[in-house]
Amino acid sequence: MTDHFTAYFPPTAATYCYQLWQQYKFIFRVVRPRRTRLGDFRVLPHNQTQITVNANLNPYAFLITYVHEVAHAAVNSQYKRRVQPHGKAWQMAFQRLMEPIMTDTVFPEAVLLPLRQYMAKPAATTYANPALMSALRQLDKIEVTMSGGHKVLLSHVPEGKLFEFAKKTYQRGTLRRTRIVCKEMSSGRSYAILAHAWVEMKEQ
């Protein structure tokens, strides 16, 4: 089994995730955190497909994101691009692929309960379910505390204040649904960053 499957997933789900990779034959990459997404699925030239997942997710968020993207791969293998990205076909594929791992041997009970609620009608992003995101963030909080970093959720940064994210300095702007528009200070460009991203406050 490749290193990705033993390093990033909950141990009891690693074999299942490896089997999905073998079944759908996509390129799998763990990548640096991105401002606007947790993972993605792409169709590459020559009918190859690729899934990427952000490296900074805790194992349970990583697992949910991975299966979310594998559901896109499953839909693509059946319908190509003839259906909506997060329509009924994707929802059914996501539910089917999550079902074998929706147990307390894979997920902590605190995550499993809101996850079951979310999976009854999965949305395009887990951020659409506040209870699930809160449960996953509680696990993040433990990891952040252990790392010793002074980090806060971007949503808790006051508007106009500076913060550091992915080694760049930003100024917090206004909330737009699940993302916050922030100005990157060195370039002056604006980026929409997920409101639940962990950032580091800057001295001002």
Side-chain angles (χ1 to χ4, degrees):
M1 190 179 299
T2 65
D3 290 345
H4 285 346
F5 294 93
T6 54
Y8 292 96
F9 294 100
T12 48
T15 299
Y16 176 69
C17 292
Y18 182 74
Q19 290 168 346
L20 292 179
W21 174 66
Q22 289 182 309
Q23 179 179 352
Y24 292 105
K25 298 178 173 60
F26 48 84
I27 298 166
F28 178 41
R29 296 176 57 227
V30 180
V31 300
R32 293 173 60 183
R34 291 161 290 187
R35 287 181 289 267
T36 58
R37 65 192 66 193
L38 303 179
D40 72 359
F41 167 80
R42 292 185 182 184
V43 178
L44 305 176
H46 311 298
N47 292 320
Q48 281 193 308
T49 55
Q50 175 180 277
I51 284 174
T52 64
V53 180
N54 291 3
N56 66 330
L57 301 181
N58 72 54
Y60 307 104
F62 193 98
L63 173 58
I64 295 167
T65 301
Y66 174 81
V67 180
H68 171 126
E69 303 305 340
V70 174
H72 285 301
V75 171
N76 179 73
S77 69
Q78 184 173 357
Y79 299 101
K80 300 304 179 187
R81 298 185 179 180
R82 297 194 300 271
V83 295
Q84 291 186 342
H86 293 101
K88 191 67 176 176
W90 171 80
Q91 288 183 339
M92 291 176 65
F94 192 17
Q95 290 168 330
R96 174 175 58 81
L97 294 172
M98 282 294 294
E99 187 175 1
I101 53 173
M102 295 274 287
T103 69
D104 57 10
T105 60
V106 174
F107 290 99
E109 198 66 28
V111 172
L112 190 57
L113 293 175
L115 178 60
R116 283 176 175 153
Q117 180 188 39
Y118 167 72
M119 289 307 303
K121 190 176 181 182
T125 171
T126 50
Y127 288 107
N129 188 294
L132 177 57
M133 282 315 307
S134 176
L136 291 170
R137 284 307 187 194
Q138 288 302 313
L139 298 174
D140 283 345
K141 193 175 294 184
I142 293 170
E143 291 188 5
V144 169
T145 301
M146 291 177 66
S147 71
H150 177 60
K151 296 190 177 182
V152 297
L153 295 177
L154 176 54
S155 58
H156 294 171
V157 175
E159 193 165 335
K161 294 292 185 181
L162 299 181
F163 65 91
E164 188 173 296
F165 178 69
K167 298 184 179 179
K168 292 185 178 180
T169 300
Y170 296 84
Q171 183 177 43
R172 202 264 204 204
T174 56
L175 177 67
R176 292 184 183 172
R177 298 184 66 189
T178 60
R179 308 187 195 284
I180 295 173
V181 179
C182 304
K183 184 171 75 172
E184 200 268 299
M185 300 307 289
S186 64
S187 67
R189 293 180 179 177
S190 292
Y191 296 92
I193 303 177
L194 290 165
H196 285 85
W198 286 105
V199 302
E200 192 155 351
M201 293 290 292
K202 299 282 288 184
E203 295 289 337
Q204 298 180 56

